[in-house]
Structure formats: structure tokens, C-alpha cells
Amino acid sequence: MKQAHFQIAKLTFGKNGPYDLSCGPECIGIKGVSGIGKTLFLRALCDLDPHGGEVILNGRKLSEFTGPQWRSQVGMVPAESRWWHSRIRDHFPIQMERDQIVEMVNTLGFKPEVLNWQPSRLSTGEKQRLSLARTLAREPAVLLLDEMGSGLDSANLQTVEQIVLEYQKLKQVTVIWVSHDDDQLHRVCDRSFTLLVDKLIPVEETSSLQNKGQ
Amino acid sequence: MNVTPLSSLDLSIAAGLIVILAVLSVRLNLGLGQQMVVSAIRMTIQLLLIGIVLQSLFATSAFWMIFLISMVMLVAAGREVRVRLKRKIRGWFGFGVGVGSMFISSFSVTILALLVILKQDPWYEPRYAIPFLGMLLGNTMTGVALASDRMTSLFFEQQEIIEQRLMLGETWREAIAELRKDGIRTGMIPIINAMAAAGLVSLPGMMTGQILGGTPPVEAVKYQLLIMFLIGAGTGFGVICAVIMIERHLFDSRHRLRLEKLLPPEQ
């Protein structure tokens, strides 16, 4: 299995940046005060918004790919999912076998019938778990999670964290997890950073900065 | 074959009905009285002016005058399309969508009809060119405006859905497949319905006019069929053209949705 190498070089968007970060196959946590641009950071990484600087995946620059090619490798799970087809199943790749999808949703605690459901039947927490599933089904090399877990109870949260970490280890991918929950970042991430307007700083340094300030 | 001329008194009687309606509206507190009178006066002035313009135009048949008038009509139609959008497109492009698609839908179709079907001498004979262009512009404008309005509104309402589809690696075409179908349908349904209802529910205006003018009904029907086919095709081409222009404008080459190209909605 090829190990992911995901590099962010002088990334800018709006008034933010430049950000530099080099990631291997690991889980990176990102925190920051609300409104600082955490979601915009993820959107820039998957090329949904115009941005400056470079993002490089396994030695190849973002600009070498078309938008859709890039986003099938750098998959983002939004904070609140939307659904557009009339059945859940249709949100998974057409070429994917039904058995594979069943197995996948099963690990997330769903019965196979859920695939025939209309999305409107799902609760917020169920939507969030299935939204993770539909992104994982595309097997991205980099997984961007925006506040994944804010709508989940503790049991489901544990399942989701476990599945993300299993996927990360199995496929040797990079996970970038934006969260406001320090405990969660501590639990799941190998390294965590605080997003400031002009830089990313390791969380340990953030707390020492705060201590100095006090 | 001549129409009975209308005297000023004849018209005054008909206008009197509008005055009665306006008085009634004031009594019923509908708040429409003033608007109705202003609109009626506007219409009277506009139509009298165009009557005078057309009369002198038909007398000269000068190509540059017909060209000038048709340009004025095209620009006015383009402006009208822009005004009817709830979510307007920033800058000149907002105007260009209307003018561009109306040019395709009305101009080219009218020119085709003049050259190939009507074959007058000269081909731009204003007695044919101006009414045909006017009818095509007026009717296709409705379709183009409806489709453009629907498209820009849907882009706004469904921003999250479009972007989440892009996040899963879909191309912009895949991400808006249903949406563009909806936009094109919205623009074309009125003319499709009008074709189905023509003759049963309504007698189209042009045919009625020709019959009043003394044309045998079957001949009038042929002209009406001609104009309806032209309008139907023109509306379809114009709507598709407007939808393509809008979707290409609102996505960039990286398949990103660029909603900042739309103005915020007016209150």
C-alpha cells in the first residue's frame, strides 16, 4: 500500500494564510475559534474555492488534475450533509456492488434496508454517518472532516472515530479533522494544530502561549 | 379587404371602460386605480408613437432604419430579461445573457423566415420584418426570462447540494444535471401549452387581427401556424442558449461554483 504524502505549501485564501503543512499517513487535528476559516481551509484543500499557493498529493500538484479528479482523491465530508437522489443507495457509486455498500453501512450500525430509504427519513446523526460512508466509498487518499461528530451521541461518535481511524490505517491515508472538541482531537489525532489567520501552530505551543499570556 | 377605420370616439368608448374600472377599483380600495390609469396612458402613448414610426418606416423601407429599430428592440428585450431575474447576474454578462439568447432565438429565426419562407423584395421588407421580429422577441423573451430566473434561483437554493456533489468528485455537468433540466422545462412549458391550446381555448392575436383585416380564415391560420412554429423553435433555442450561457458563467474551469457572480436578491 502506497503511503499518502499530502503537502500544503503557502496556501492562501481570502485574507487567510499563507499556511504550510506536510502530512504523512496520519490523522491531523485542526482547531480554532469560530469564524477563523476552518471550513474555508478544508474547502481550499479540496479546491472548492479559489486559493493561492500549492497543494501537493504524492508529488503531484493540484493544478495537474481537473477539479473532479482532485476531489475524488481529496474527499471532504461537510458538517451538514445534503441528499439529492430519492434513495440513499443512489448516492453511492453506481459501479459499487450492493453487497459492498451493505457491508460498509453495516459497520456504521445500519441495516441493509436503509439503502432503499428516502433521505428525509434519516435523523441528523444518521445523515452524518451515511455522509461519511458515501465519501469513504470513493476511497479518497486524503479525507477532510468538517466538525464530524457534532451531531452524534457518544456511542455513534465512538463508531465514527473508530471507522475513520481504521480506514486511515488500512489505506495509509491522510485525515484532516476539523473539530472544536479538544478531547476528540486528543483521542483521534496524531498531531493537532490551531488555525490562526496567518499560520498553523501546534496545539502544545498554543497552550504554552496562553500560559505565558496569563 | 379594408378594415373599418376607428374614430376617436370609438376608442374613447373603449377607454371609458378602463376609467369605470379604475373608479370601481378606488371604491373597492384595491389600490390599483392609479397604476391602471398610468399603464393605460403609457400604452396609448407608446402605441401611437410606434404607429407613427412604423408608418414612416414602411414608407422609406431604408435598411439602416430597420436595422436600427431591430437593434433597439433587441436591447430592450435583453434589458427586460435582466430585470425579470430575482437573482441578477453581475456586470455586463447579465445583460449579455438576454441579448445573446434573444439574438439566437429571435433574430436568426426571423432572418431565416424572411429569406427562405416569406421571400419579399427586398428581403427585409419592413411590413413583414418588423411584426415578425416583434412577435418573436415578445414571445421568446418570456421563455428566456423564465428559464434564466429559474436557473439563477436554483443555483442559489441548491448551492449546498451542488457543492456536496462536487465534493464527491462529480463534474459540474453531473452536479447540475437535474437542475438544468428543470430550468429548460420552465422556459419551454408555456409555449408548449400555448401550442396545445391554440384554436381550442384561444384564438391567437395575429390570426384574429388578420381575419379582422379581411384575410380568409384559412390563410390567416397558415400565417398563425408559421409564427407559432417559429416562436416554438425560437423559444427552445433561446432557452437552451441562455441556460448554457448561465451555467458556464457560474462555474469556472476548475469545476467550482462561483455564486459571487450573482447579485444579492432585491428586497
Side-chain angles (χ1 to χ4, degrees):
Chain A
M1 181 60 62
K2 197 179 171 194
Q3 296 195 334
H5 180 70
F6 189 58
Q7 199 184 346
I8 301 166
K10 303 220 175 333
L11 178 77
T12 57
F13 52 90
K15 289 185 176 121
N16 282 59
Y19 300 113
D20 287 287
L21 189 63
S22 185
C23 322
E26 58 184 327
C27 186
I28 305 273
I30 302 283
K31 58 182 248 177
V33 295
S34 58
I36 196 77
K38 299 190 290 294
T39 301
L40 292 177
F41 180 67
L42 295 185
R43 285 173 62 98
L45 290 182
C46 70
D47 200 24
L48 265 186
D49 288 328
H51 52 82
E54 256 328 323
V55 189
I56 300 154
L57 175 63
N58 297 329
R60 293 184 70 186
K61 290 175 182 171
L62 181 150
S63 49
E64 292 177 37
F65 300 91
T66 67
Q69 282 171 344
W70 179 259
R71 289 188 282 266
S72 1
Q73 301 175 84
V74 181
M76 174 170 171
V77 182
E80 256 184 73
S81 67
R82 294 277 181 273
W83 301 80
W84 45 92
H85 294 301
S86 53
R87 288 185 317 159
I88 299 295
R89 196 261 170 263
D90 300 329
H91 295 80
F92 288 83
I94 308 168
Q95 69 277 12
M96 206 173 165
E97 297 285 341
R98 190 182 158 86
D99 291 348
Q100 282 179 281
I101 309 176
V102 167
E103 198 187 315
M104 181 171 244
V105 297
N106 193 26
T107 57
L108 282 159
F110 290 97
K111 294 191 176 119
E113 297 92 88
V114 78
L115 294 180
N116 295 324
W117 284 12
Q118 289 192 354
S120 54
R121 279 180 69 177
L122 301 173
S123 72
T124 316
E126 286 171 328
K127 274 186 190 159
Q128 206 164 18
R129 280 183 286 153
L130 285 169
S131 148
L132 173 66
R134 78 184 182 194
T135 303
L136 290 183
R138 271 93 182 164
E139 302 198 349
V142 178
L143 183 62
L144 310 172
L145 304 174
D146 191 9
E147 299 283 0
M148 185 83 217
S150 49
L152 299 174
D153 58 31
S154 58
N156 280 324
L157 184 58
Q158 216 178 352
T159 319
V160 161
E161 290 176 358
Q162 203 180 329
I163 282 170
V164 170
L165 290 181
E166 267 170 27
Y167 177 80
Q168 188 275 315
K169 292 206 170 60
L170 183 70
K171 305 277 182 185
Q172 291 292 297
V173 302
T174 304
V175 175
I176 297 185
W177 199 319
V178 161
S179 174
H180 59 268
D181 181 352
D182 287 349
D183 291 339
Q184 185 185 39
L185 291 180
H186 196 71
R187 261 196 321 270
V188 296
C189 296
D190 301 302
R191 292 188 287 158
S192 290
F193 295 86
T194 302
L195 187 86
L196 301 178
V197 178
D198 55 346
K199 56 179 175 276
L200 281 162
I201 51 172
V203 164
E204 307 80 60
E205 288 178 28
T206 324
S207 41
S208 64
L209 278 180
Q210 279 167 348
N211 290 339
K212 274 179 200 165
Q214 276 160 6
Chain B
M1 289 272 280
N2 271 333
V3 197
T4 319
L6 291 175
S7 68
S8 309
L9 180 68
D10 299 335
L11 283 177
S12 310
I13 294 170
L17 292 175
I18 296 292
V19 174
I20 294 172
L21 188 62
V23 171
L24 191 64
S25 143
V26 171
R27 280 286 171 81
L28 292 174
N29 223 349
L30 298 178
L32 283 172
Q34 197 189 346
Q35 221 180 329
M36 204 183 307
V37 172
V38 170
S39 296
I41 293 175
R42 258 191 72 167
M43 175 185 73
T44 312
I45 298 173
Q46 284 164 201
L47 288 182
L48 283 177
L49 279 178
I50 197 69
I52 295 167
V53 170
L54 289 182
Q55 205 143 32
S56 57
L57 188 67
F58 290 174
T60 64
S61 287
F63 181 75
W64 68 269
M65 261 182 87
I66 297 158
F67 181 77
L68 190 72
I69 286 220
S70 37
M71 280 300 141
V72 170
M73 287 164 80
L74 177 67
V75 169
R79 190 190 148 274
E80 189 65 24
V81 169
R82 183 183 150 81
V83 167
R84 289 197 201 173
L85 299 193
K86 284 189 285 293
R87 315 284 327 220
K88 296 191 180 21
I89 302 167
R90 254 179 229 281
W92 281 97
F93 194 85
F95 188 61
V97 168
V99 172
S101 50
M102 303 298 291
F103 185 82
I104 300 274
S105 61
S106 303
F107 257 64
S108 49
V109 172
T110 304
I111 290 172
L112 177 94
L114 290 173
L115 287 174
V116 180
I117 302 168
L118 297 163
K119 286 183 236 154
Q120 295 296 307
D121 184 35
W123 65 272
Y124 50 83
E125 166 64 43
R127 216 160 54 82
Y128 284 82
I130 298 295
F132 266 76
L133 184 63
M135 269 188 289
L136 272 157
L137 277 174
N139 285 284
T140 58
M141 188 179 72
T142 309
V144 167
L146 281 173
S148 307
D149 181 48
R150 184 85 183 137
M151 282 296 275
T152 49
S153 302
L154 280 176
F155 269 97
F156 241 97
E157 285 162 22
Q158 303 202 358
Q159 176 185 7
E160 287 183 61
I161 287 183
I162 297 170
E163 292 197 322
Q164 293 192 11
R165 297 183 73 154
L166 294 174
M167 281 179 200
L168 292 180
E170 290 191 7
T171 62
W172 67 264
R173 274 180 199 286
E174 291 165 335
I176 61 161
E178 289 87 2
L179 191 151
R180 84 196 298 241
K181 208 189 271 181
D182 190 339
I184 293 176
R185 284 178 58 91
T186 305
M188 288 180 62
I189 287 293
I191 183 64
I192 293 175
N193 287 342
M195 285 202 275
L200 278 178
V201 183
S202 60
L203 282 186
M206 170 175 147
M207 191 176 114
T208 318
Q210 278 193 310
I211 293 174
L212 284 177
T215 311
V218 174
E219 283 308 307
V221 163
K222 284 190 198 159
Y223 265 90
Q224 188 62 49
L225 281 176
L226 172 66
I227 195 77
M228 288 295 274
F229 289 143
L230 296 180
I231 290 173
T235 304
F237 298 147
V239 162
I240 291 170
C241 174
V243 164
I244 289 175
M245 283 177 84
I246 290 174
E247 63 191 17
R248 296 205 167 209
H249 186 63
L250 293 181
F251 283 97
D252 65 17
S253 59
R254 305 284 314 160
H255 296 247
R256 293 183 290 223
L257 182 59
R258 305 295 293 272
L259 281 188
E260 73 273 15
K261 290 183 181 174
L262 294 181
L263 290 169
E266 282 160 17
Q267 297 308 312

